[in-house]
Amino acid sequence: MTSTVVTDIRTLVTNDPALGDGSPLGLVENAAVVLDGEHIAWVGPAADAPAADARYDAGGRAALPGYVDSHSHLLFGGDRTAEFNARMSGRPYTAGGIRTTVAATRESTDDELARNLRHFLDEACRQGTTTMETKSGYGLSPEQESRALRVAAEHTDEVTYMGAHVVAPEYADDPDGYVALVTGPMLDACAPYARWIDVFCEKGAFDGDQARAVLTAGKAKGLTPRIHANQLSHGPGVQLAVELGAASADHCTHLSDADVDALAAADDTVATLLPGCEFSTRAVYPDARRLLDAGATVALSTDCNPGSSFTSSMAFCVAVAVREMGMTPDEAVWSATAGGARALRRTDVGRLTPGALADLTLLDAPSHVHLAYRPGVPLTARVWHRGTPLAV
């Protein structure tokens, strides 16, 4: 292994207040970072940087931790361009559109699913995302869900079992029978490949009792809950997430005061907001300001999926969160890095501190604020993933 000092960093986001200016971003001006193998060895002022085997001059650019995208759906086949085009012409998004992708995914080969997954993982990484979660949920049978998770586990260590995405078409007249399948044979087949379990708690998908059954069964198998909560309407999802100790309640668009209070009081349930979804469906945006002012922990993620948010750009989500959801640029960057790490219960990513993984994104800009200041501009200049520089 060799070490590299990345020096002449104009503004460095560490996400450690003790290393920088005392803010949540832990900003260090005129900074350097030493990458030693797969980990960060040193962070501080460039003038004090220790010697290393190699040197990279950042040229006065800003650097931040690699984005942590804690919510995506990348195991799928097919395309829903026609649906998007129709929706932009006036048809609203409903949960039923998922079944279109289910049919295409079932027809895809393992190689096709793997190739598609790698394509989007690479696409995200070129934009600065170095940690990505992905879910099943487009197979909806024990065989199809388990093979999707098997493929996912070969390429990412953040894998979520989501057989409870919608009711499978074969069980359209027997939703309780489908829940029994999801919590029984399907769970048995899928649990070995996953770390997490998720459920779409929403009208047209699964109600509160069904969601509770799914997540409770997953916990009994050693999987940690996550939940799609309160996306299209108000429902029990957020309260259920907090009650069951879910790592995250995702979407959080339609919240009561009690929901906000519950998330603010929760020690380990993160509110993960997905602005790409509202952008792509012309829906109301979640109120991040309300959550932050209450003291909730907020993460940002892409929700990259073929139906309701077909973007892999965390920078885009940062810009939209600042423009439409009441976040400051600092808050949005923290939520896209450290917030995502919290949602995945990871301490080795989402920060640039000694001992963390050497996941570093260099911007073609002097400050992280440019991510919101210059929306739509491809600012990623260089990415290191576990110490290895990648082409962008």
Side-chain angles (χ1 to χ4, degrees), residues 34-272:
V34 176
L35 317 179
D36 190 1
E38 293 190 347
H39 295 87
I40 302 293
W42 184 90
V43 174
D48 300 333
D53 299 322
R55 182 179 185 274
Y56 183 87
D57 190 334
R61 296 179 174 90
L64 64 153
Y67 301 118
V68 181
D69 191 343
S70 61
H71 182 130
S72 76
H73 302 255
L74 303 182
L75 270 298
F76 67 89
D79 179 89
R80 282 157 70 180
T81 303
E83 176 189 318
F84 175 80
N85 192 31
R87 185 168 66 241
M88 291 300 101
S89 302
R91 187 173 73 206
Y93 168 67
T94 64
I98 293 168
R99 295 184 180 90
T100 302
T101 301
V102 170
T105 302
R106 289 177 171 182
E107 294 175 357
S108 299
T109 66
D110 288 8
D111 286 345
E112 288 169 338
L113 291 179
R115 186 163 56 249
N116 207 41
L117 173 61
R118 288 195 302 269
H119 170 78
F120 291 113
L121 290 173
D122 290 347
E123 179 181 273
C125 199
R126 290 195 302 271
Q127 300 172 83
T129 298
T130 51
T131 303
M132 199 159 196
E133 178 268 5
T134 197
K135 310 175 193 294
S136 66
Y138 294 125
L140 309 187
S141 73
E143 298 77 17
Q144 292 284 347
E145 288 290 295
S146 62
R147 73 145 179 162
L149 292 171
R150 174 174 48 78
V151 170
E154 294 174 356
H155 300 281
T156 177
D157 58 352
E158 297 298 341
V159 179
T160 301
Y161 164 50
M162 198 177 178
H165 202 177
V166 293
V167 174
E170 298 85 358
Y171 286 82
D173 297 325
D174 185 17
D176 288 337
Y178 184 66
V179 171
L181 179 69
V182 168
T183 57
M186 190 186 295
L187 175 60
D188 291 339
C190 291
Y193 301 107
R195 181 185 178 196
W196 312 96
I197 185 167
D198 202 337
V199 57
F200 191 5
C201 185
E202 185 60 67
K203 294 176 183 177
F206 299 91
D207 64 25
D209 290 339
Q210 292 168 329
R212 180 190 300 277
V214 168
L215 298 182
T216 301
K219 288 184 71 173
K221 282 285 188 180
L223 304 183
T224 302
R226 322 182 70 79
I227 186 168
H228 284 53
N230 302 53
Q231 176 188 359
L232 305 176
S233 60
H234 184 263
V238 164
Q239 296 291 336
L240 185 60
V242 173
E243 175 192 337
L244 296 180
S248 64
D250 297 23
H251 288 288
C252 295
T253 307
H254 299 276
L255 302 181
S256 67
D257 289 344
D259 295 330
V260 174
D261 290 343
L263 288 167
D267 292 330
D268 54 4
T269 301
V270 174
T272 300

